[in-house]
Amino acid sequence: MPESKEIAAYRKTMEKAFAFHQEGDFAQAEQVYREILDKDPNDYNALKFLGILKRQLRQLDEAEKTFRHALKNFPDELNLLYELGLTLKDMASKKPNAILEAIACFQKAYEQNPKFHRATMQLAMMLNGNSMGDKAETLLMDSIQLSPDNSELFNLLGYIQQRLNKTEESKVNLLKAIELDPKNSTAYYNLAYGEKFTQEPDFAGTIHELIQSETNVENKYKLHYALGKIYDDLKVYDKAIENFKAANQLKRKTFQYDIEIEKQNLAVMKQAF
């Protein structure tokens, strides 16, 4: 059945707003989102993406206001709960109780859909960062029961267990993360920093190979740091310095990388529209 003229016109307008947003023309994107909201103040897509735009601009009060308005009309919408949680997390230094409110948002999203793992992992990180590492560990173990093939859940569990001084459990889970996804650069990074190496591990060769093929700046930086840590432990200082230097050079590029990630996230969210 063909779209009505109204739906086709709405879709075209949203496409225009998305294009401005992804190109970084935030002023034009906001103008189009507000044009849509002038016609329908409760439009889900316009509210969601306007809130994301405001958070990207660090206009956090406006972002919070926008997401809360949207949640009045869509109180159980997982993406809105997640985005409000991220916004409140960013407001922690200036808003009393922002951390607790952020945790509540991620908790509600998790309770509504335990397989909405973006919220699960944010909740776990916030619990861990607020002296509730045991609760974060339990949360992730429960999530792994539901999604036993999720490398990122095993990686985060291993990371949190490092902070709980559960060295052996951490190692097992980080190795499982790598088994599930041999390209999981964060798992190599966490494993390298949680171990004291007395000999070159089997996965060092894999890291070398990944560095050669990896195009993602953030991932490559983590791989170099992991390799640098391994060689530093082994007292192969020339290779350690070489990798730490490469990592530091890549780290300077991560600001641009963060911008690209935002564009990618928008593209993914656009597919749901």
Side-chain angles (χ1 to χ4, degrees), residues 124-125 127-134 136-137 140 155-171 174 186-187 189-195:
M125 287 187 287
L127 290 172
N128 183 61
N130 288 275
S131 303
M132 292 180 275
D134 290 336
E137 181 185 28
L140 289 167
N155 172 56
L156 184 54
L157 176 59
Y159 169 82
I160 286 172
Q161 287 172 329
Q162 282 181 349
R163 272 63 196 162
L164 294 172
N165 294 317
K166 295 184 176 182
T167 306
E168 289 305 312
E169 295 96 324
S170 171
K171 182 178 180 180
L174 290 170
T186 308
Y189 179 92
N190 289 334
L191 184 58
Y193 274 82
E195 285 286 299

Side-chain angles (χ1 to χ4, degrees), residues 13-264:
T13 303
M14 284 301 303
E15 291 284 350
K16 182 169 72 170
F18 282 135
F20 284 134
H21 200 156
Q22 286 185 276
E23 290 166 7
D25 191 342
F26 290 166
Q28 288 292 332
E30 179 174 355
Q31 180 178 327
V32 179
Y33 291 141
R34 292 200 182 279
E35 288 173 3
I36 295 169
L37 292 170
D38 285 342
K39 296 178 182 178
D40 179 2
N42 298 319
D43 183 271
Y44 168 77
N45 287 299
L47 286 170
K48 178 177 68 175
F49 286 102
L50 178 60
I52 291 171
L53 182 151
K54 289 297 185 181
R55 182 163 57 79
Q56 288 173 308
L57 291 172
R58 314 310 295 165
Q59 296 173 9
L60 299 177
D61 290 335
E62 286 296 311
E64 180 191 9
K65 179 180 176 181
T66 302
F67 289 129
R68 289 196 186 280
H69 175 76
L71 280 163
K72 287 180 181 178
N73 296 283
F74 308 96
D76 298 323
E77 214 292 317
L78 296 177
N79 284 303
L80 293 177
L81 287 168
Y82 177 77
E83 294 295 340
L84 177 58
L86 290 181
T87 301
L88 290 165
K89 179 181 175 182
D90 288 347
M91 299 174 77
S93 63
K94 70 171 189 174
K95 180 179 178 179
N97 299 321
I99 289 293
L100 293 178
E101 291 180 34
I103 289 173
C105 286
F106 296 131
Q107 180 72 43
K108 184 175 180 180
Y110 169 75
E111 289 171 354
Q112 290 179 192
N113 184 357
K115 288 191 174 183
F116 187 55
H117 294 313
R118 287 189 296 153
T120 302
M121 290 190 286
Q122 285 291 335
L123 177 58
M125 287 187 287
M126 293 197 71
L127 290 172
N128 183 61
N130 288 275
S131 303
M132 292 180 275
D134 290 336
K135 289 185 178 180
E137 181 185 28
T138 300
L139 172 71
L140 289 167
M141 293 174 81
D142 289 345
S143 296
I144 284 170
Q145 292 296 313
L146 296 173
S147 302
D149 296 328
N150 190 305
S151 175
E152 290 302 329
L153 290 174
F154 278 101
N155 172 56
L156 184 54
L157 176 59
Y159 169 82
I160 286 172
Q161 287 172 329
Q162 282 181 349
R163 272 63 196 162
L164 294 172
N165 294 317
K166 295 184 176 182
T167 306
E168 289 305 312
E169 295 96 324
S170 171
K171 182 178 180 180
V172 168
N173 285 303
L174 290 170
L175 286 171
K176 183 64 176 179
I178 290 168
E179 176 189 329
L180 291 169
D181 179 9
K183 295 184 178 181
N184 190 330
S185 60
T186 308
Y188 289 113
Y189 179 92
N190 289 334
L191 184 58
Y193 274 82
E195 285 286 299
K196 180 69 175 178
F197 297 96
T198 57
Q199 62 183 25
E200 189 167 309
D202 293 339
F203 59 78
T206 303
I207 296 177
H208 274 291
E209 293 174 5
L210 290 174
I211 285 172
Q212 297 305 312
S213 61
E214 184 61 73
T215 57
N216 180 295
V217 174
E218 180 78 3
N219 289 344
K220 198 164 187 173
Y221 134 74
K222 289 178 180 177
L223 292 167
H224 272 296
Y225 260 120
L227 206 53
K229 166 61 165 56
I230 292 168
Y231 285 128
D232 190 59
D233 284 350
L234 299 176
K235 297 181 170 54
V236 185
Y237 294 123
D238 56 338
K239 290 186 178 181
I241 292 170
E242 177 186 338
N243 279 283
F244 285 141
K245 182 178 179 181
N248 285 329
Q249 289 173 341
L250 288 165
K251 184 64 175 175
R252 298 188 191 104
K253 298 179 182 179
T254 56
F255 176 74
Q256 184 60 37
Y257 165 81
D258 289 340
I259 294 172
E260 292 303 316
I261 284 295
E262 290 286 0
K263 290 181 180 179
Q264 292 168 23

